[in-house]
Amino acid sequence: MKIWNTTSDFILLGLFNHTGAHLFLFVTVMTIAFTSLVGNTLMLFLIHQDVQLHTPMYFLLSQLSLMDMMLVSTIVPKMAADYLTGQKSISPAGCGLQIFFFMSLGGAEFFLLASMSYDRYVAVCHPLRYPILMSWQLCLRMTVGSWFLEAADGLMQAAATLSFPFCDAHEINHFFCEAPTLMRLACADTVIFEYVMYICCVLMLLVPFSLILISYRFILAAVLENHSREAHKRAFATCSSHLCVVGLCYGAAIFIYMRPKSYRSANYDKTVSVLYTIFTPLLNPIIYCMRNSDVKGALRKCMGQCAA
């Protein structure tokens, strides 16, 4: 097979074709993406404006909203433009930027969710020591660490992926550039790179996921020891919403990145990718706003001020 000129563009085959059913799905996905952007923007605004929400927990939540907004903005506009114009090409530089931002934001979100689980563990199990165990200094360190650690990982993976020579068939069966999909086009031995990427995924997925499970194991034990029904209700309301987001994020990512190569399917990968690039960012404002009395109170206060 011929080696393809690496300065030429890739072709993204996309998620939808131009049938009536797929047009309906496209409109649905775009509606979800727009609602996600509006919801996460609202969350950022409320957390910034309301003094009562200036706590480590809501600061972490604001960072989660920011990451989700950036993730949707990285993927959806290009996907929509490709579908509407029929121009599905993407330059190697554009492809590298998508890989960088996707890996950086996705990985940072995994570590941020682990930080949020630690915050809930301290709040439930050690409420009197919360200002010490979850200080602003520690909160900022965890947040900055999440951003910079995964930015370095995203930069390395984007550079390494685009360093391979690619074969004459340069069509990417996906709606955005993702490293595992792009590796299928490589005309070189990618075993070592895929093994290194697998190790990175173990560190990026299983380590924070294990920390989350450990945190919620202690939270569950503490809640069951407390015989107050009201305490049970508040703890489960807060933690169940977090676990919903954790389950979707980690479940979809583990499905994509930690399956054996022989079990991978481009169509399955595209469908699952929709979950954590478009659908999951919508869940955060819905779950944390609709099920959180503090956020709902801040929203009512804001609406009252606007109406006055």
Side-chain angles (χ1 to χ4, degrees), residues 6-266:
T6 56
T7 62
S8 302
D9 291 347
F10 294 101
I11 303 297
L12 292 169
L13 297 183
L15 188 62
F16 306 111
N17 55 40
H18 289 275
T19 63
H22 277 231
L23 178 60
F24 172 77
L25 291 174
F26 172 75
V27 173
T28 302
V29 167
M30 294 305 298
T31 302
I32 292 173
F34 178 75
T35 307
S36 169
L37 287 173
V38 172
N40 282 293
T41 302
L42 179 62
M43 286 294 296
L44 277 172
F45 176 77
L46 291 175
I47 292 170
H48 179 267
Q49 291 295 112
D50 197 304
V51 178
Q52 292 184 343
L53 301 183
H54 292 179
T55 64
M57 182 183 80
Y58 289 108
F59 177 76
L60 294 174
L61 183 56
S62 71
Q63 296 301 297
L64 185 65
S65 293
L66 179 60
M67 290 175 185
D68 283 338
M69 288 173 60
M70 293 177 65
L71 183 61
V72 172
S73 300
T74 299
I75 304 298
V76 175
K78 174 61 178 170
M79 180 191 73
D82 288 350
Y83 181 79
L84 294 174
T85 65
Q87 301 293 326
K88 299 185 176 183
S89 63
I90 183 170
S91 66
C95 201
L97 282 174
Q98 278 199 334
I99 294 173
F100 167 72
F101 280 110
F102 174 73
M103 296 300 300
S104 300
L105 295 169
E109 190 164 316
F110 296 142
F111 281 102
L112 192 70
L113 288 171
S115 301
M116 292 173 68
S117 71
Y118 171 76
D119 173 86
R120 291 300 83 206
Y121 158 72
V122 174
V124 173
C125 299
H126 304 283
L128 299 179
R129 300 176 62 195
Y130 183 86
I132 300 174
L133 296 178
M134 192 59 191
S135 63
W136 273 108
Q137 186 178 24
L138 177 61
C139 179
L140 290 173
R141 284 179 179 176
M142 290 192 297
T143 304
V144 172
S146 297
W147 279 100
F148 279 94
L149 181 65
E150 291 309 317
D153 178 62
L155 182 62
M156 288 187 294
Q157 293 218 30
T161 301
L162 293 177
S163 68
F164 287 99
F166 294 99
C167 298
D168 193 38
H170 55 280
E171 294 182 339
I172 303 174
N173 191 9
H174 214 307
F175 59 94
F176 69 98
C177 286
E178 195 172 18
T181 307
L182 204 58
M183 282 296 94
R184 295 171 186 159
L185 305 181
C187 280
D189 187 3
T190 62
V191 173
I192 295 177
F193 174 71
E194 290 180 356
Y195 179 75
V196 172
M197 189 166 64
Y198 184 84
I199 297 299
C200 289
C201 290
V202 169
L203 296 175
M204 191 173 67
L205 292 172
L206 295 188
V207 171
F209 187 58
S210 299
L211 293 175
I212 291 172
L213 293 181
I214 292 171
S215 296
Y216 278 99
R217 183 263 179 196
F218 285 113
I219 289 172
L220 182 60
V223 168
L224 293 177
E225 288 178 1
N226 192 325
H227 298 291
S228 169
R229 180 173 296 181
E230 185 63 26
H232 285 190
K233 188 180 297 184
R234 284 180 61 85
F236 279 121
T238 302
C239 297
S240 61
S241 59
H242 186 199
L243 286 174
C244 287
V245 176
V246 167
L248 274 176
C249 283
Y250 281 90
I254 289 172
F255 178 84
I256 293 292
Y257 285 94
M258 301 196 68
R259 280 182 304 158
K261 190 174 181 179
S262 57
Y263 287 92
R264 292 178 185 171
S265 166

